[in-house]
Amino acid sequence: MKKFQAEIDVMPKKEILDPQGKAVTGSMKNLGLAEIQNVRIGKHISLEIEAESTETAHNKVEQACKSLLANLIMESYSFELHEV
Amino acid sequence: MKKFQAEIDVMPKKEILDPQGKAVTGSMKNLGLAEIQNVRIGKHISLEIEAESTETAHNKVEQACKSLLANLIMESYSFELHEV
């Protein structure tokens, strides 16, 4: 069995309003950081997974994202896997 | 002025308990994904920034992380910048 580390980003879809991001964009201005625009806030998830192969690990992480980590109606996900 | 995209990860520090991650690790088992361990959940933030140079953009993003995006007592951050 090999051990992999997955780094997953779950972000609100582009066409979905992100009120938390909007609020942070506004706060940037108050902090003197008006150059910062279009803040969007999502989740970052790191996890460890044991699997026979990279392909199996990839499939398991896909399954975890689809069934638990991301709400596919409002969010999209992407991830990277590396062996540890 | 150049435009940069920053991709920031804000994660709970290793020595800090992550109850949300613990709960998700438990749920993985119920979903038949017991190979998945040590889930930790943080934030992923994407933003756009205008700056004269990569160095200026880097400093501004550092400042944003330190003053607003991360709580340095409990969280650590890392980011990547690329010109768009």
Side-chain angles (χ1 to χ4, degrees):
Chain A
M1 286 295 240
K2 296 175 190 168
K3 206 167 191 176
F4 300 88
Q5 174 87 21
E7 299 292 335
I8 305 163
D9 290 329
V10 178
M11 296 299 287
K13 286 190 179 169
K14 282 217 179 69
E15 55 280 15
I16 301 274
L17 269 180
D18 174 15
Q20 201 187 356
K22 267 249 162 5
V24 169
T25 307
S27 302
M28 290 294 175
K29 206 180 281 184
N30 302 333
L31 281 170
L33 292 166
E35 312 88 329
I36 291 179
Q37 288 292 323
N38 203 12
V39 181
R40 291 185 78 79
I41 301 184
K43 284 177 288 186
H44 183 83
I45 300 147
S46 72
L47 56 83
E48 290 170 13
I49 178 164
E50 285 194 350
E52 302 284 351
S53 68
T54 311
E55 204 189 335
T56 313
H58 187 97
N59 291 343
K60 294 276 180 187
V61 175
E62 281 273 353
Q63 196 186 332
C65 287
K66 283 183 182 150
S67 56
L68 187 62
L69 301 174
N71 167 2
L72 297 182
I73 297 166
M74 298 173 65
E75 297 169 325
S76 59
Y77 65 88
S78 62
F79 64 86
E80 283 177 16
L81 259 185
H82 50 262
E83 203 174 334
V84 285
Chain B
M1 287 293 239
K2 295 177 193 168
K3 204 167 194 176
F4 299 88
Q5 174 87 22
E7 300 291 335
I8 305 164
D9 289 329
V10 178
M11 296 299 288
K13 286 189 180 170
K14 283 220 179 67
E15 57 278 16
I16 301 274
L17 268 182
D18 174 15
Q20 200 188 355
K22 267 246 161 9
V24 169
T25 307
S27 302
M28 290 294 176
K29 206 179 280 184
N30 302 333
L31 280 170
L33 292 166
E35 312 89 329
I36 292 179
Q37 288 291 325
N38 204 11
V39 181
R40 291 185 77 79
I41 302 185
K43 284 177 288 184
H44 183 83
I45 300 147
S46 72
L47 55 82
E48 289 170 14
I49 178 164
E50 284 193 352
E52 302 284 354
S53 68
T54 310
E55 203 190 337
T56 314
H58 187 96
N59 290 343
K60 294 276 178 184
V61 174
E62 280 275 352
Q63 198 185 328
C65 287
K66 281 183 183 149
S67 56
L68 187 62
L69 301 176
N71 167 2
L72 296 181
I73 297 167
M74 298 174 64
E75 298 169 324
S76 59
Y77 64 88
S78 62
F79 64 87
E80 285 178 14
L81 259 185
H82 50 262
E83 204 174 335
V84 285

